[in-house]
Amino acid sequence: MLLNVCGPCGKVLFATLSKSPANRLINRSINQSSRRSQTWKPNIHTARVPEPVSEPTNVQKDVLMYSLSSDRFFKHMTIFGAVQMVFWLRMSMVAAETARRRKQLKEQAARDGTPVPDYMPKLDPKEERWYLRMLHAFGQFGEANAVALSMAYLAIGGFIMIGTFFFSLRNIKQLVLLKGGQKLSITTYGTFGRFRTFQVPVKDVSSEVGRTTLAGYAPLKVKGRAYFFLLDRGGKFHNATLFDMTAGLQRRWRS
C-alpha cells in the first residue's frame, strides 16, 4: 500500500533501505537463528548402536607371539656337554685304574716285605718352575686319593652335561596362541638340535617379569611343572599386545 501511495519515489526509497548494511545484518542474524534451530534437534531415527567388540584374545587362527633363532647355539652347547661327560668319564677311569694299581703294589710289597714304591716319579728338589711343582703335588694327591678323585671327575662331567641339557630344555624357541585363545603351544630347545613341543591352557601360565622390564631372561612359570621356562631378550615378539594379555600376565594359583 505504501508503494502505491508514494509511487515511483517510494519504490526507490524502499529498495535503498533494503540494501542498507543494517538491514543485511538483521537478515543474516535471522537466517543463522533459523538454521541453528533446525540442526539442534537430534535425529533419533538414524542413531546407530555400536556393535559389540569380540574378545581380543579369541583369535581365529594360530598366532605366533614370540620366537628365538638360536638353533646352532643350543645344538653346539648340548654337544659340548656330552663331549665333556666323555672326557671326565675317561679321567675318572684313569683315576680308578691308578687306585687299583696302587692297591696291587701295596699287596706285592706286603708279601715281599719291601717298602711300597712311589707311583709318581720324584721331583728334583732344586726345581724352580712353579707349574711343575704344582702338577707334581696334584699327582701325589691323586695317588693318595685316587678313589675320591675318580668320583670328583665323574661328578664334574655329570654336572656339565646335565647343566647344558637342562638349560637347553628350559629355553623357549616359539610361543604360539592357538585358535580360540584358550591354549598356548610352547616349543623349547632339546638336545643335539632337536625340539620339544607341548600345549598348556593360558590360565596355567604366569610371567614373573613384564615384557617391558625384560632384562636378559624372563622366567615363565607353567602350572604343574617344576622350575621355570626362559624367554630370551634376544628373541622377537611378533605380537606384543597379545602376549601381554595372555602369557605375559602374572597369575597366582592356589596350592
Side-chain angles (χ1 to χ4, degrees):
M1 184 182 291
L2 181 61
L3 295 177
N4 294 331
V5 174
C6 297
C9 295
K11 292 180 179 181
V12 173
L13 180 62
F14 182 79
T16 303
L17 291 175
S18 62
K19 295 180 180 180
S20 64
N23 190 38
R24 288 199 299 268
L25 182 62
I26 293 173
N27 292 333
R28 187 182 303 170
S29 301
I30 294 173
N31 293 334
Q32 291 178 354
S33 299
S34 62
R35 284 196 299 267
R36 192 178 297 115
S37 62
Q38 291 175 1
T39 58
W40 178 81
K41 294 181 180 181
N43 190 358
I44 59 176
H45 298 288
T46 59
R48 298 181 62 185
V49 179
E51 298 179 358
V53 180
S54 61
E55 185 69 24
T57 59
N58 186 14
V59 294
Q60 301 303 315
K61 61 180 182 179
D62 297 350
V63 179
L64 177 64
M65 298 189 296
Y66 169 86
S67 66
L68 176 65
S69 300
S70 297
D71 301 2
R72 291 184 61 186
F73 171 77
F74 287 102
K75 178 181 179 180
H76 294 165
M77 184 179 66
T78 53
I79 292 175
F80 169 79
V83 171
Q84 285 291 305
M85 182 63 199
V86 173
F87 170 77
W88 290 105
L89 179 62
R90 176 56 184 167
M91 293 291 292
S92 176
M93 293 171 62
V94 170
E97 180 65 17
T98 301
R100 187 183 66 82
R101 293 182 62 181
R102 183 168 177 79
K103 182 179 180 181
Q104 290 178 351
L105 290 174
K106 286 183 177 180
E107 293 175 352
Q108 183 66 31
R111 286 194 299 266
D112 299 340
T114 58
V116 180
D118 293 330
Y119 188 75
M120 287 291 296
K122 292 184 178 180
L123 185 67
D124 187 358
K126 297 181 180 180
E127 180 62 59
E128 296 180 355
R129 288 173 290 187
W130 62 271
Y131 57 90
L132 289 180
R133 291 182 175 274
M134 184 180 67
L135 289 175
H136 188 268
F138 183 76
Q140 287 182 329
F141 174 82
E143 181 184 359
N145 305 276
V147 176
L149 196 62
S150 176
M151 299 300 295
Y153 288 154
L154 194 61
I156 293 173
F159 178 79
I160 295 175
M161 186 183 70
I162 293 174
T164 54
F165 284 14
F166 181 81
F167 183 72
S168 177
L169 290 169
R170 291 296 165 176
N171 267 270
I172 295 177
K173 174 178 171 59
Q174 286 186 348
L175 192 63
V176 179
L177 182 65
L178 300 179
K179 181 179 178 181
Q182 299 299 318
K183 286 188 176 183
L184 288 172
S185 175
I186 301 177
T187 302
T188 66
Y189 289 96
T191 57
F192 312 121
R194 293 177 294 183
F195 309 107
R196 184 181 61 152
T197 303
F198 60 94
Q199 297 179 5
V200 292
V202 174
K203 60 183 180 64
D204 289 345
V205 178
S206 174
S207 177
E208 299 300 315
V209 180
R211 177 180 54 84
T212 57
T213 59
L214 179 59
Y217 289 94
L220 204 67
K221 179 64 177 176
V222 177
K223 185 178 180 181
R225 293 179 180 265
Y227 307 105
F228 289 91
F229 293 91
L230 301 176
L231 284 175
D232 194 338
R233 186 177 185 178
K236 182 178 180 181
F237 288 93
H238 301 274
N239 196 323
T241 303
L242 201 59
F243 173 84
D244 293 338
M245 291 188 298
T246 53
L249 296 177
Q250 186 177 20
R251 297 177 174 87
R252 291 289 181 265
W253 305 293
R254 294 181 179 179
S255 56

